[in-house]
Amino acid sequence: MAIGLFPLLLVPAAHAASGGQNSPPAAVLIGGIVACLAFATWVLWRDLLNGLMVTAAMGVLTTIYLTVQHFVALQGGNSICNVSSVINCDLVNTSKYSELGGVAISLYGLGFYAAMGYLAYRQRTGRSEYATSLMAAGGALAVGYDVFLAYASYSLGALCLFCAASWALNVLLFAGSVIAVRRSEPAFSDRFAKSLVNDALPAIAMGVTVFIVGVVVARGREPEAPVGSTPQSFVGLYEQPGGPVVLDGTEPVKGDPAARFTLVEFADYECPHCGLMSPVLKKVLDENK
């Protein structure tokens, strides 16, 4: 049943890869994400280890989408969850918080979910008795980092629904692992020590391998330096107006019409970079009354 649901999660990844422009209604998108999270919760309730594997698999697919969309947005593509200036995946996914050490943070997440899924698989197949204790520690670290990302999202004034979905998946992984640990003997400290010895290296190997493969594939998708990517090349994009910009008074206005300086903006509602610029201009106006 879980395997039958996974292809549904590939729909947004395929949409991102094609650079599609039509965004579904927010209610439909949120409803789909909630349905997937509810399904993961249901599987966890029925069988903890299967549920942990399902949750990790959903995390893998979510981070694949976020990675694809990161590069699509950098090349001017549009995300399916650019619903408004607040629900705006591209603004979040191209911000300074979207990369760590020059690598998309979604790729780190991809390696993390691969390692967590493998740990659950090891315990499910009897290769380990204590892997969930190591998963609980990993889940705690992930939830802690998600708190920082939530703060970063708040500071940007925008929310990526798929990022938020990954936060919820991390909570499920942490909670499911803790419940599995509490149902077993011996004490957590003893289980964690044994898992650290027996499971840490295979899990790290799995996570690092998937991360490296993801980085190699992602490097192949990196856009070439676009026109205007350097100050010198920007000069060629500008044209000095041949006189004042004539306005007829019907243009929408923000701020004081009698201000000393007037900024006239030409924008395209279907241009993703115009969308990314909108909250920046709003911040400039708010800080310069």
Side-chain angles (χ1 to χ4, degrees):
M1 187 174 184
I3 295 175
L5 180 70
F6 292 158
L8 296 178
L9 296 180
L10 291 174
V11 173
H15 184 97
S18 66
Q21 297 290 322
N22 297 321
S23 297
V28 174
L29 189 58
I30 294 173
I33 292 174
V34 170
C36 292
L37 292 173
F39 178 79
T41 304
W42 177 76
V43 180
L44 278 167
W45 179 72
R46 293 289 299 258
D47 187 301
L48 276 174
L49 292 177
N50 282 341
L52 290 171
M53 287 190 289
V54 167
T55 304
M58 287 185 176
V60 166
L61 294 174
T62 301
T63 50
I64 288 175
Y65 166 73
L66 288 171
T67 302
V68 171
Q69 187 54 44
H70 177 72
F71 292 103
V72 169
L74 289 177
Q75 297 178 64
N78 200 13
S79 171
I80 65 171
C81 71
N82 282 352
V83 178
S84 67
S85 61
V86 175
I87 301 178
N88 191 322
C89 290
D90 290 342
L91 178 60
V92 176
N93 210 10
T94 56
S95 71
K96 62 181 181 180
Y97 303 106
S98 66
E99 293 187 353
L100 184 63
V103 177
I105 61 171
S106 54
L107 286 172
Y108 294 100
L110 178 62
F112 166 76
Y113 287 121
M116 293 288 275
Y118 183 57
L119 284 170
Y121 171 78
R122 283 175 64 83
Q123 187 152 333
R124 163 55 70 192
T125 57
R127 299 184 183 184
S128 171
E129 297 181 59
Y130 313 111
T132 49
S133 59
L134 193 58
M135 291 184 68
L141 292 176
V143 171
Y145 186 61
D146 288 343
V147 172
F148 164 75
L149 291 179
Y151 172 77
S153 181
Y154 172 78
S155 66
L156 290 172
L159 175 67
C160 169
L161 290 179
F162 288 94
C163 297
S166 71
W167 305 343
L169 291 172
N170 290 340
V171 171
L172 289 177
L173 284 173
F174 174 63
S177 300
V178 169
I179 293 172
V181 170
R182 290 175 62 87
R183 289 180 179 178
S184 306
E185 296 291 342
F188 172 77
S189 58
D190 296 331
R191 293 172 60 85
F192 179 75
K194 292 180 179 179
S195 180
L196 202 58
V197 173
N198 298 324
D199 303 314
L201 187 58
I204 291 173
M206 173 63 75
V208 170
T209 299
V210 172
F211 170 76
I212 292 175
V213 171
V215 170
V216 171
V217 174
R219 292 299 186 197
R221 293 188 59 89
E222 283 188 339
E224 297 180 359
V227 176
S229 60
T230 65
Q232 292 75 20
S233 59
F234 263 118
V235 174
L237 298 178
Y238 282 92
E239 180 180 346
Q240 184 68 29
V245 178
V246 179
L247 306 177
D248 62 13
T250 62
E251 297 82 10
V253 177
K254 290 185 178 181
D256 182 6
R260 181 180 178 187
F261 297 102
T262 298
L263 175 66
V264 180
E265 179 193 12
F266 296 84
D268 180 350
Y269 287 120
E270 293 187 348
C271 168
H273 289 290
C274 293
L276 295 176
M277 192 64 186
S278 177
V280 177
L281 290 177
K282 182 178 183 300
K283 182 178 180 181
V284 170
L285 288 173
D286 290 342
E287 294 177 352
N288 299 274
K289 297 297 184 182

